[in-house]
Amino acid sequence: MVRSSSVLTNMSRVVLPTFRMALVGCALLVAAEHAASAQTLRPKRSLTVGVAPGCVNVTARPANARRDVAEARRLSAAGQEAALVGDLKAARDNFVKAADLNPVDDRIAYDLGRAHEELADTTSAIGEYCRYLTLSPAGPESSDVRARLQQLVSKAAAQNAQDLLAKFRLGLFLYDSARYDAAERAFDDVVQKAPSASEGYFNRGLMRAAVGSRAEALKDFEAYLAAVPAADDRAEVASTISILRRPVYGPGSAFIRSVIPGFGQVYTGRPVRGVLVLAGVATAAGLAAVQTTTTKPIAYKDPNGIDAPYTQEFTERKYLVPGVATAVGLTAIAALEAVLYARKSSRGAAVVQTTRVSALSDATKNYGLALTPTWLPGSGTGLRFTAHF
């Protein structure tokens, strides 16, 4: 009984420190995992929508073989004179000819746009105004042109933009409320209604990643990068794509497989580490099973009181306690490491911060929107509305 108590005492002295070391190692792994997952993407809160009619594909006038700047100036002056006397058709015709002879003159583009506007040819007027901003985005008439473009946008287009922005705003609200599946559906509607808006793909990709739809999220992020090749966050999105392409393992499956030492590492795609763990546990178990035989002198007196010492052989396992403790400690550490590795792989799929605390703190945001008409010079996309939340 005394020997059994001594064995238990020795075992507790070895096993408890081993488990403490295991817990410390797991805490460090959790901290590293938290630090690695802290830098996550957040959804875009501005949406560029509502392309003005005629500005979708603004093309430059073809270079005329008979390019005559002097003749273009004469025709432009004739057009201005016709406009002064009220002959708007003659003015427009002169400006058209002048634009053909000198397609890079921003003043001619402006005058032609004014002529089209006076003749109620809205589409042609918008086209010339857009061409003016392409030629001279900061020209003397740029402010007037932007104001006129805003007025020429149809009410129907503005209403469609409002509906789309309301859906975008709903998606942001659902994200801030940590309702990622519903937010995904809202941003899906945005993408369907405005396939040219890169922000819709970006936000839908975040929501799909948050709910575990990794393949679909990858497609959305790739579509975002294709739409905005020079995006400021290109490096972050590319890193997210790399994370989403990694395999995902289940923590529960990793834990169950770790009942056999090293199988958790094999399951999480690291067979070499799993073999090393299994070899370590097997070595420790073998060490614990090693038996040693010793002989000890035994003092003895016979019934007559005469000393009759003799020797006796004892078989024992000297390394039983440290061997068992090492095997148990390695198995526990390997199991917890496999679980944490699996958790890290699964959390890599969620590239948005899914903490309820931050979601609730963001839920108090003002979701009012403001439409800002923006001209994107040289992009070929024309006048757009940008919504800011």
Side-chain angles (χ1 to χ4, degrees):
M1 186 69 179
V2 173
R3 178 176 177 81
S4 176
S5 175
S6 176
V7 170
L8 291 176
T9 302
N10 292 334
M11 182 173 291
S12 65
R13 289 176 180 175
V14 177
V15 173
L16 290 179
T18 304
F19 273 102
R20 291 193 188 101
M21 293 177 61
L23 292 176
V24 171
C26 293
L28 293 175
L29 287 173
V30 171
E33 177 190 6
H34 178 73
S37 62
Q39 295 180 350
T40 52
L41 297 176
R42 290 188 177 276
K44 305 288 184 184
R45 292 191 174 270
S46 297
L47 179 65
T48 306
V49 295
V51 181
C55 286
V56 178
N57 295 307
V58 179
T59 56
R61 288 177 176 270
N64 198 301
R66 182 177 168 262
R67 183 170 179 177
D68 191 338
V69 175
E71 180 64 13
R73 289 177 180 172
R74 188 192 67 80
L75 289 170
S76 178
Q80 292 175 2
E81 292 178 0
L84 289 175
V85 299
D87 193 350
L88 298 178
K89 291 184 179 180
R92 178 197 59 191
D93 294 341
N94 282 309
F95 290 138
V96 168
K97 293 176 183 178
D100 289 337
L101 292 176
N102 189 7
V104 297
D105 191 312
D106 57 338
R107 181 66 198 188
I108 295 176
Y110 175 76
D111 289 337
L112 181 54
R114 288 292 303 272
H116 284 312
E117 184 179 0
E118 294 293 336
L119 290 171
D121 189 349
T122 302
T123 301
S124 298
I126 290 177
E128 291 303 318
Y129 286 148
C130 292
R131 191 168 68 86
Y132 172 88
L133 290 176
T134 301
L135 295 171
S136 181
E141 308 295 342
S142 58
S143 298
D144 180 62
V145 167
R146 288 188 176 92
R148 291 181 181 277
L149 279 172
Q150 184 177 359
Q151 294 176 358
L152 291 173
V153 175
S154 66
K155 292 182 179 180
Q159 183 60 49
N160 291 338
Q162 288 285 351
D163 294 341
L164 181 62
L165 295 174
K167 188 65 71 172
F168 187 79
R169 178 178 54 184
L170 173 62
L172 290 176
F173 173 78
L174 293 171
Y175 159 76
D176 291 331
S177 302
R179 297 165 59 187
Y180 302 108
D181 51 350
E184 176 195 352
R185 292 191 294 270
F187 289 124
D188 183 64
D189 290 340
V190 172
V191 171
Q192 296 299 326
K193 294 179 180 179
S196 62
S198 61
E199 300 91 346
Y201 290 101
F202 183 93
N203 288 0
R204 187 177 67 176
L206 285 181
M207 300 308 106
R208 286 178 167 178
V211 298
S213 301
R214 298 163 60 83
E216 292 78 5
L218 281 172
K219 293 179 181 178
D220 280 338
F221 286 126
E222 289 170 351
Y224 169 76
L225 291 182
V228 192
D232 294 338
D233 56 354
R234 183 177 184 85
E236 290 82 357
V237 175
S239 176
T240 298
I241 290 176
S242 176
I243 292 174
L244 291 176
R245 283 175 176 164
R246 298 173 188 170
V248 175
Y249 308 102
S253 299
F255 180 77
I256 293 174
R257 285 169 171 80
S258 294
V259 172
I260 302 177
F263 272 54
Q265 282 67 32
V266 174
Y267 165 70
T268 54
R270 299 163 300 157
V272 174
R273 183 172 297 188
V275 171
L276 292 177
V277 170
L278 182 60
V281 173
T283 301
L287 185 64
V290 171
Q291 293 182 344
T292 58
T293 301
T294 59
T295 59
K296 294 182 179 180
I298 304 297
Y300 176 74
K301 290 184 178 182
D302 63 12
N304 297 320
I306 302 174
D307 291 334
Y310 65 94
T311 59
Q312 183 176 355
E313 292 185 349
F314 291 91
T315 300
E316 62 180 349
R317 294 183 173 88
K318 291 184 178 181
Y319 308 107
L320 176 63
V321 173
V324 170
T326 302
V328 171
L330 282 176
T331 302
I333 292 175
L336 292 173
E337 191 274 340
V339 170
L340 291 176
Y341 188 91
R343 282 187 59 196
K344 183 177 180 180
S345 72
S346 61
R347 290 186 64 177
V351 294
V352 297
Q353 292 187 358
T354 57
T355 56
R356 188 57 110 163
V357 175
S358 63
L360 291 176
S361 64
D362 288 343
T364 59
K365 291 181 178 178
N366 181 13
Y367 289 91
L369 62 87
L371 290 180
T372 304
T374 305
W375 169 253
L376 307 178
S379 65
T381 54
L383 180 69
R384 290 180 178 269
F385 285 116
T386 301
H388 305 280
F389 298 87

